[in-house]
PDB file of all heavy atoms in Angstrom:
ATOM      1  N   ILE M  71     -19.359  29.258  -1.533  1.00  0.00           N
ATOM      2  CA  ILE M  71     -19.878  28.151  -2.340  1.00  0.00           C
ATOM      3  C   ILE M  71     -20.310  27.058  -1.374  1.00  0.00           C
ATOM      4  O   ILE M  71     -19.519  26.583  -0.576  1.00  0.00           O
ATOM      5  CB  ILE M  71     -18.828  27.648  -3.344  1.00  0.00           C
ATOM      6  CG1 ILE M  71     -18.481  28.781  -4.317  1.00  0.00           C
ATOM      7  CG2 ILE M  71     -19.335  26.425  -4.090  1.00  0.00           C
ATOM      8  CD1 ILE M  71     -17.370  28.455  -5.284  1.00  0.00           C
ATOM      9  N   TRP M  72     -21.574  26.671  -1.465  1.00  0.00           N
ATOM     10  CA  TRP M  72     -22.175  25.746  -0.517  1.00  0.00           C
ATOM     11  C   TRP M  72     -22.645  24.488  -1.229  1.00  0.00           C
ATOM     12  O   TRP M  72     -23.232  24.547  -2.310  1.00  0.00           O
ATOM     13  CB  TRP M  72     -23.353  26.437   0.164  1.00  0.00           C
ATOM     14  CG  TRP M  72     -24.142  25.585   1.098  1.00  0.00           C
ATOM     15  CD1 TRP M  72     -23.861  25.323   2.407  1.00  0.00           C
ATOM     16  CD2 TRP M  72     -25.349  24.878   0.803  1.00  0.00           C
ATOM     17  NE1 TRP M  72     -24.816  24.497   2.941  1.00  0.00           N
ATOM     18  CE2 TRP M  72     -25.741  24.202   1.957  1.00  0.00           C
ATOM     19  CE3 TRP M  72     -26.125  24.750  -0.343  1.00  0.00           C
ATOM     20  CZ2 TRP M  72     -26.886  23.425   2.024  1.00  0.00           C
ATOM     21  CZ3 TRP M  72     -27.260  23.968  -0.293  1.00  0.00           C
ATOM     22  CH2 TRP M  72     -27.631  23.318   0.897  1.00  0.00           C
ATOM     23  N   SER M  73     -22.394  23.336  -0.622  1.00  0.00           N
ATOM     24  CA  SER M  73     -22.878  22.057  -1.136  1.00  0.00           C
ATOM     25  C   SER M  73     -23.749  21.400  -0.080  1.00  0.00           C
ATOM     26  O   SER M  73     -23.356  21.320   1.087  1.00  0.00           O
ATOM     27  CB  SER M  73     -21.701  21.134  -1.460  1.00  0.00           C
ATOM     28  OG  SER M  73     -22.162  19.833  -1.749  1.00  0.00           O
ATOM     29  N   PRO M  74     -24.904  20.879  -0.470  1.00  0.00           N
ATOM     30  CA  PRO M  74     -25.772  20.202   0.494  1.00  0.00           C
ATOM     31  C   PRO M  74     -25.245  18.818   0.883  1.00  0.00           C
ATOM     32  O   PRO M  74     -25.647  18.279   1.903  1.00  0.00           O
ATOM     33  CB  PRO M  74     -27.102  20.086  -0.247  1.00  0.00           C
ATOM     34  CG  PRO M  74     -26.725  20.082  -1.692  1.00  0.00           C
ATOM     35  CD  PRO M  74     -25.516  20.954  -1.798  1.00  0.00           C
ATOM     36  N   LEU M  75     -24.349  18.262   0.072  1.00  0.00           N
ATOM     37  CA  LEU M  75     -23.798  16.928   0.323  1.00  0.00           C
ATOM     38  C   LEU M  75     -22.362  17.021   0.836  1.00  0.00           C
ATOM     39  O   LEU M  75     -21.607  17.886   0.401  1.00  0.00           O
ATOM     40  CB  LEU M  75     -23.809  16.092  -0.965  1.00  0.00           C
ATOM     41  CG  LEU M  75     -25.171  15.742  -1.541  1.00  0.00           C
ATOM     42  CD1 LEU M  75     -25.014  15.134  -2.923  1.00  0.00           C
ATOM     43  CD2 LEU M  75     -25.903  14.779  -0.621  1.00  0.00           C
ATOM     44  N   PRO M  76     -21.964  16.109   1.715  1.00  0.00           N
ATOM     45  CA  PRO M  76     -20.570  16.066   2.171  1.00  0.00           C
ATOM     46  C   PRO M  76     -19.696  15.385   1.105  1.00  0.00           C
ATOM     47  O   PRO M  76     -19.309  14.227   1.230  1.00  0.00           O
ATOM     48  CB  PRO M  76     -20.649  15.247   3.463  1.00  0.00           C
ATOM     49  CG  PRO M  76     -21.835  14.352   3.270  1.00  0.00           C
ATOM     50  CD  PRO M  76     -22.805  15.133   2.430  1.00  0.00           C
ATOM     51  N   VAL M  77     -19.395  16.119   0.041  1.00  0.00           N
ATOM     52  CA  VAL M  77     -18.756  15.561  -1.151  1.00  0.00           C
ATOM     53  C   VAL M  77     -17.396  14.928  -0.843  1.00  0.00           C
ATOM     54  O   VAL M  77     -17.053  13.888  -1.401  1.00  0.00           O
ATOM     55  CB  VAL M  77     -18.599  16.644  -2.240  1.00  0.00           C
ATOM     56  CG1 VAL M  77     -18.003  16.077  -3.506  1.00  0.00           C
ATOM     57  CG2 VAL M  77     -19.941  17.275  -2.543  1.00  0.00           C
ATOM     58  N   GLU M  78     -16.620  15.527   0.042  1.00  0.00           N
ATOM     59  CA  GLU M  78     -15.298  14.983   0.362  1.00  0.00           C
ATOM     60  C   GLU M  78     -15.370  13.598   0.992  1.00  0.00           C
ATOM     61  O   GLU M  78     -14.393  12.858   0.967  1.00  0.00           O
ATOM     62  CB  GLU M  78     -14.520  15.919   1.299  1.00  0.00           C
ATOM     63  CG  GLU M  78     -13.882  17.094   0.595  1.00  0.00           C
ATOM     64  CD  GLU M  78     -14.702  18.352   0.731  1.00  0.00           C
ATOM     65  OE1 GLU M  78     -15.852  18.272   1.216  1.00  0.00           O
ATOM     66  OE2 GLU M  78     -14.205  19.413   0.336  1.00  0.00           O
ATOM     67  N   LEU M  79     -16.501  13.234   1.545  1.00  0.00           N
ATOM     68  CA  LEU M  79     -16.633  11.939   2.216  1.00  0.00           C
ATOM     69  C   LEU M  79     -17.303  10.886   1.329  1.00  0.00           C
ATOM     70  O   LEU M  79     -17.593   9.791   1.792  1.00  0.00           O
ATOM     71  CB  LEU M  79     -17.416  12.116   3.520  1.00  0.00           C
ATOM     72  CG  LEU M  79     -16.751  13.048   4.534  1.00  0.00           C
ATOM     73  CD1 LEU M  79     -17.650  13.257   5.732  1.00  0.00           C
ATOM     74  CD2 LEU M  79     -15.396  12.522   4.958  1.00  0.00           C
TER      75      LEU M  79
END
Side-chain angles (χ1 to χ4, degrees):
I71 298 175
W72 176 84
S73 171
L75 295 170
V77 183
E78 281 99 350
L79 299 175

